[in-house]
Amino acid sequence: MLFNSLTFLFAFLPLSFALWWTVKGRTARLVLLGVMNTVFYAWFDIRFVPVLVFIALAGYYGAAAVDSAREQSQRRRRLVVAVVVHLAALVAFRYVNFLASSLTDATRMLGLDIGTPGSSAFFPIGLAFYCLNSLSYLVDVYRGDARRDRSLLEYYAFVGLFPHLLAGPILRFTEIGPQLRRLPLRPDWSLIYGGLILLGVGLAKKILLADNLAPVVDRSFGADSHLQLIEAWGVAAGYTLQLYFDFSAYSDMAIGVAAMLGFRFPQNFNSPLQARNPSDFWRRWHMTLSRWMRDYIYIPLGGSRGSTARTARNLGATMFVAGLWHGAAWTFVIWGAYHGLLLAIHHIWRGRHLLRGRLRAASTMFARLGTLAAVVVGFVVFRAANVSDAVSIYEGMLGVNGLGLSRAPLDNLGAEFVGFLLIAAVLSQIRPNSWSLGTTPRPRLALAVGVLMGIAVLLISSPSPFLYFRF
Amino acid sequence: MSAIKPSQDLDEIGPEQRLFAPKRLEVSQERRLLARVLLLATLVVLMGGAVNVIVDPLYRWRTGLLAPFEGEDGIKGYALDHRVPVETVVIGNSRALAIDPEHMSKATRWRSFNAAASLSSWKDQIHTADTAIRRSPQRVRHVVWVLTPESMSRQPREGASKLLDDLHDTFSLGELKATAKSVAPRLGISYHPNLLYTYDEGTGRQTRVRTVVGWFDRGDAEARRRVRAFLEPGLITSWASSVADASIRADVEKAISGWSRRGISTVIVIPPYQPLVYHLGGNEFNDMAAELGIWAATLETRGVASVVDVSHIESFSGAPNEFLDGVHLRGANVRKLTDSVVRALRAL
């Protein structure tokens, strides 16, 4: 079920809200939550549900096994087994085709053709997200950062909590477990109001902005698009803004829906397109993923404790994994490696204190522009269906097909696209962002969000899925 | 695994996390604000809904005050831009462009869209329909499939359209419009919000099929020359083997069965040739054309699909001079063919 569908907005959400605040008793409410989660997920494809249940069981019993082990080596072994089970599920559903095709390509280059078999295209939406939730719980229990959950019902409610199930925010048990243990009995209207604002803002961002940028971006990212310089940059910027307004809209709506049920989720976006450097970008973009990568990949690798070269290596490796997590394709690997490189360069640059005093202050604007450009360049390969499509756009961005000065960009991109691009660009650069709108009540804002929400609902005819569902 | 606390490395990647905690309000204030949001949203939805129902610019309620497929007006463009789902999708090659979706929408009250594309193969056409269905799974009710020997042929088509490649990746109503608009000039075809019309080879003008001057207006000798060029012997052999090809037939049946399982019915249309084509085509061509009709009839008998076999103009009271060339219809023939399809759709 999509958040931006009439079924969700006018049936599932009101019904869930009413039942949630009516049913009394903790166990009954956990059962209700489990049912809501299952129905929400099964709405896409009932075959997804066993996968969710499997991951929940793997996490729950894996953590129990880790917790019950007496010796450290035994704990470690059990943790490794549980982690492997999670990764095996991910690999089975997502990476088998990728590995098989890569192996075939490699053997062909050597003059052999081993003809590897493919697997089915069945991929449970959100698997990569709830796997990370479950993995973080396992590691936290192993480290002693989280207490083992003794209620399977409660753990299933955590892993499958429907607002975050499909595309995050990626949660930690340490922040949701206590909330599940002390379920609020009465509605917190301030929280519900903030949630409603986020839901409305997210709906408007998705339907009024992201979906209106999509047609031209989708068309232009086809192979052999022969875009000229201005068009290519327009399309690349268009995709960056589409992705931002699409994914952050989902996060806003997820946080908003959770708040309406009394759950407090962590922030996932903080005006990332205003970042001043790559490191700043990753503190603002998909914050819960970068937090996960930091805590479970970067720091265990050594973090920034070693030499500059070692830190750069750790950053590169972490972002490589982050890229691969997004999907089984070389485009994501390249995107991750590219961001790893950006972070490593920034780390070296910062370590040498190349800019000081006034020069440093004056450079802020250029730093923002430079970071934005680097992010836009990176998202081209992230969006492209394959490397050659990305190369085609990059050629356009380098002016290989011409500068595009002789023909108006409006001709090919369309006035409508350029209009939405400009609106989205301006909105991405101003404050307050949706998080602060949700946390700071303002009477005028209530009016504006009400109107925007109404318009967005009217424009729902055939809801389009959120971009991050594919990851 | 290291047990280092996260806070040591916060300066690199990963933010300090905070949980959603809106500022607390007075009880009266929070309820007032909440009511304001909900009331305004409801008001806007009700006002918009009223406009929708009464004026019906998107043709959702079929009040008929403003039908979206009424000529080249802005409402049609608006409807297409906003991805209004279609209920009847027409697929096929350029010969399928003779089916007029505007007329079909009005006559059946099901929003129709002609997604046919020149030079498309049967696989292209299946893909196009699948994509349209995927985009609007709850809406598409019928597929009108104009099956021709040319599109069933395995022989590579000269200059297979870039348009099709683009459509494969991006098909949706809005995207189709944008794609077609951008690539149509490169292909030498004109763009119409609902139809892609070929241009007139004779005059070089990009004009609408229904008003264009065709071969048959330029004298019998010219028409014969063109028909002979169309009936290249190698091509006829290729069409004949394709029409009889079991694997292509299986593909077609599999696609139709798949749509049927989703509650979507299919109407197969066998479009007409100009009589001169049959006359000059010889036995091989006539046998091939008949074979296609026989196979389609068996599909109907087996309940796979409804069939509108108008392969001869007599079967739909077509006029021999209302052809642009040997295979493409114009003028009154367009309306008559569409009427035949409308009748089949109504009978479903």
Side-chain angles (χ1 to χ4, degrees):
Chain A
M1 202 178 304
L2 295 166
F3 284 163
N4 54 332
S5 67
L6 296 175
T7 317
F8 178 81
L9 292 170
F10 291 105
F12 188 85
L13 182 60
L15 192 66
S16 302
F17 183 84
L19 286 172
W20 180 249
W21 292 116
T22 308
V23 172
K24 304 291 175 202
R26 187 171 168 275
T27 306
R29 297 182 84 196
L30 285 177
V31 170
L32 174 66
L33 196 54
V35 171
M36 288 180 337
N37 296 340
T38 308
V39 170
F40 179 83
Y41 201 36
W43 205 268
F44 286 101
D45 190 331
I46 198 153
R47 294 176 299 167
F48 291 173
V49 175
V51 182
L52 172 66
V53 172
F54 173 78
I55 293 297
L57 291 174
Y60 179 78
Y61 287 109
V66 168
D67 192 50
S68 62
R70 290 179 183 173
E71 293 175 15
Q72 182 62 17
S73 61
Q74 198 179 18
R75 284 168 68 85
R76 184 188 291 259
R77 271 200 306 278
R78 290 181 178 181
L79 173 72
V80 169
V81 170
V83 169
V84 167
V85 168
H86 281 73
L87 295 182
L90 253 183
V91 169
F93 286 113
R94 173 179 273 182
Y95 297 102
V96 165
N97 275 341
F98 174 61
L99 294 174
S101 64
S102 298
L103 188 62
T104 307
D105 291 345
T107 52
R108 275 192 190 137
M109 284 169 72
L110 295 171
L112 305 166
D113 190 352
I114 58 171
T116 46
S119 73
S120 73
F122 174 71
F123 177 73
I125 300 170
L127 173 63
F129 286 89
Y130 56 76
C131 259
L132 292 194
N133 292 333
S134 191
L135 282 171
S136 74
Y137 166 67
L138 277 169
V139 176
D140 284 353
V141 168
Y142 169 77
R143 287 174 175 173
D145 291 342
R147 272 194 312 157
R148 178 198 150 194
D149 192 355
R150 295 189 181 274
S151 161
L152 181 57
L153 200 58
E154 189 177 282
Y155 188 69
Y156 180 67
F158 159 66
V159 175
L161 196 57
F162 77 85
H164 81 98
L165 183 62
L166 305 174
I170 297 161
L171 305 175
R172 294 178 70 153
F173 188 73
T174 46
E175 57 202 5
I176 298 300
Q179 298 186 47
L180 286 166
R181 268 178 229 123
R182 288 188 298 276
L183 290 173
L185 291 174
R186 289 183 184 166
D188 176 342
W189 291 104
S190 294
L191 194 58
I192 291 171
Y193 168 74
L196 189 66
I197 292 291
L198 280 188
L199 179 69
V201 170
L203 202 60
K205 280 160 77 174
K206 166 72 176 160
I207 294 171
L208 303 181
L209 281 176
D211 284 356
N212 279 311
L213 290 168
V216 172
V217 170
D218 289 348
R219 167 166 60 87
S220 305
F221 264 90
D224 200 24
S225 51
H226 292 296
L227 296 172
Q228 296 193 331
L229 185 94
I230 295 174
E231 295 160 358
W233 277 97
V235 166
Y239 176 65
T240 302
L241 289 164
Q242 182 204 351
L243 183 65
Y244 169 55
F245 280 104
D246 187 285
F247 188 23
S248 67
Y250 180 86
S251 294
D252 290 344
M253 293 170 84
I255 297 165
V257 169
M260 291 169 80
L261 299 179
F263 292 101
R264 295 168 194 270
F265 277 10
Q267 190 177 9
N268 213 19
F269 286 89
N270 185 18
S271 305
L273 302 183
Q274 297 175 23
R276 286 164 298 168
N277 55 58
S279 178
D280 190 25
F281 174 77
W282 281 103
R283 282 195 294 267
R284 293 161 174 262
W285 176 274
H286 203 174
M287 294 155 76
T288 54
L289 175 70
S290 45
R291 175 182 67 162
W292 197 99
M293 290 291 158
R294 178 196 70 197
D295 293 349
Y296 302 104
I297 307 280
Y298 178 65
I299 291 174
L301 282 174
S304 57
R305 285 172 301 151
S307 63
T308 300
R310 199 175 170 81
T311 302
R313 185 206 67 177
N314 294 341
L315 286 167
T318 304
M319 294 318 295
F320 177 81
V321 174
L324 199 58
W325 173 83
H326 279 85
W330 286 109
T331 48
F332 295 120
V333 173
I334 293 169
W335 177 76
Y338 168 78
H339 271 280
L341 187 67
L342 287 182
L343 285 168
I345 292 170
H346 172 253
H347 179 76
I348 295 165
W349 174 275
R350 193 185 51 182
R352 299 197 174 170
H353 303 289
L354 291 174
L355 292 177
R356 290 170 193 278
R358 285 183 185 174
L359 192 58
R360 186 169 185 167
S363 70
T364 303
M365 192 179 75
F366 292 106
R368 271 173 71 161
L369 277 174
T371 304
L372 185 59
V375 166
V376 168
V377 167
F379 276 134
V380 169
V381 73
F382 185 84
R383 165 63 180 80
N386 50 54
V387 177
S388 68
D389 281 8
V391 169
S392 175
I393 301 283
Y394 285 135
E395 283 175 353
M397 292 169 83
L398 290 171
V400 172
N401 303 322
L403 299 179
L405 300 174
S406 57
R407 68 182 190 214
L410 289 179
D411 285 351
N412 271 342
L413 300 180
E416 198 179 323
F417 174 79
V418 174
F420 281 115
L421 186 73
L422 291 175
I423 293 169
V426 169
L427 289 177
S428 73
Q429 295 301 318
I430 59 170
R431 290 222 169 235
N433 57 23
S434 46
W435 179 268
S436 39
L437 292 179
T439 48
T440 320
R442 294 183 186 89
R444 281 185 196 166
L445 177 71
L447 297 173
V449 172
V451 172
L452 282 176
M453 205 176 195
I455 294 171
V457 165
L458 282 174
L459 290 174
I460 297 174
S461 59
S462 168
S464 61
F466 290 87
L467 295 177
Y468 252 67
F469 282 9
R470 59 190 283 229
F471 302 127
Chain B
M1 196 163 292
S2 166
I4 301 166
K5 297 295 177 196
S7 56
Q8 291 178 2
D9 289 274
L10 281 178
D11 58 332
E12 286 303 342
I13 53 172
E16 291 275 16
Q17 289 298 162
R18 45 195 174 146
L19 296 176
F20 185 59
K23 193 177 157 191
R24 297 213 72 80
L25 297 167
E26 296 292 326
V27 175
S28 60
Q29 196 188 0
E30 68 195 11
R31 291 194 180 162
R32 204 168 51 238
L33 287 179
L34 198 59
R36 201 174 281 189
V37 177
L38 289 175
L39 266 174
L40 263 168
T42 310
L43 264 176
V44 172
V45 170
L46 286 178
M47 280 167 59
V51 171
N52 239 336
V53 172
I54 297 164
V55 182
D56 197 14
L58 297 179
Y59 205 44
R60 275 184 196 161
W61 316 101
R62 302 198 184 98
T63 55
L65 288 181
L66 278 177
F69 294 114
E70 192 78 65
E72 296 182 49
D73 54 33
I75 294 172
K76 180 160 57 182
Y78 179 80
L80 293 171
D81 274 345
H82 288 79
R83 304 185 188 182
V84 176
V86 290
E87 287 152 315
T88 304
V89 182
V90 180
I91 53 171
N93 65 3
S94 61
R95 293 173 70 186
L97 295 173
I99 293 178
D100 183 348
E102 297 170 25
H103 177 55
M104 204 152 74
S105 293
K106 278 189 280 188
T108 61
R109 312 279 284 171
W110 290 312
R111 188 192 304 279
S112 309
F113 190 81
N114 193 327
S118 302
L119 299 173
S120 57
S121 71
W122 84 96
K123 283 188 176 169
D124 300 325
Q125 292 155 16
I126 291 171
H127 185 91
T128 303
D130 283 345
T131 314
I133 291 165
R134 197 168 56 245
R135 290 289 174 119
S136 324
Q138 310 301 325
R139 302 294 180 106
V140 176
R141 296 179 182 195
H142 317 108
V143 173
V144 174
W145 195 348
V146 180
L147 266 182
T148 65
E150 303 91 276
S151 60
M152 290 173 75
S153 174
R154 287 189 190 278
Q155 186 154 315
R157 285 165 303 285
E158 194 71 25
S161 167
K162 168 73 178 68
L163 173 63
L164 292 170
D165 294 339
D166 286 355
L167 292 184
H168 285 184
D169 296 332
T170 65
F171 182 87
S172 78
L173 297 182
E175 289 154 5
L176 176 68
K177 182 188 171 196
T179 305
K181 209 170 185 176
S182 73
V183 301
R186 295 210 297 271
L187 299 170
I189 54 179
S190 62
Y191 172 76
H192 179 279
N194 214 13
L195 289 172
L196 293 169
Y197 289 149
T198 51
Y199 77 121
D200 176 24
E201 281 184 3
T203 63
R205 282 185 305 163
Q206 294 192 342
T207 43
R208 297 178 69 169
V209 171
R210 271 172 271 183
T211 56
V212 82
V213 174
W215 302 350
F216 296 93
D217 292 326
R218 284 190 228 125
D220 194 45
E222 174 68 3
R224 279 173 179 271
R225 192 178 68 75
R226 299 275 190 149
V227 169
R228 285 203 179 95
F230 169 71
L231 294 169
E232 204 179 303
L235 273 180
I236 298 175
T237 309
S238 157
W239 295 338
S241 64
S242 303
V243 165
D245 190 318
S247 67
I248 296 175
R249 289 183 174 192
D251 276 356
V252 171
E253 287 194 42
K254 190 177 159 198
I256 295 173
S257 304
W259 301 330
S260 174
R261 278 197 295 278
R262 306 183 68 153
I264 297 162
S265 48
T266 304
V267 174
I268 291 177
V269 179
I270 311 289
Y273 291 103
Q274 212 277 345
L276 193 59
V277 177
Y278 287 109
H279 180 66
L280 296 176
N283 289 341
E284 189 180 14
F285 179 82
N286 281 275
D287 289 348
M288 176 276 298
E291 175 71 22
L292 180 60
I294 291 165
W295 172 57
T298 61
L299 291 181
E300 187 164 45
T301 312
R302 285 163 40 216
V304 176
S306 300
V307 175
V308 177
D309 187 348
V310 285
S311 51
H312 291 81
I313 55 171
E314 297 78 20
S315 53
F316 71 110
S317 308
N321 59 333
E322 292 289 2
F323 278 80
L324 172 67
D325 50 29
V327 291
H328 296 106
L329 303 183
R330 64 171 183 158
N333 279 353
V334 168
R335 174 60 62 94
K336 287 175 182 171
L337 176 66
T338 309
D339 280 338
S340 303
V341 178
V342 166
R343 279 194 292 277
L345 285 171
R346 281 182 179 154
L348 288 175

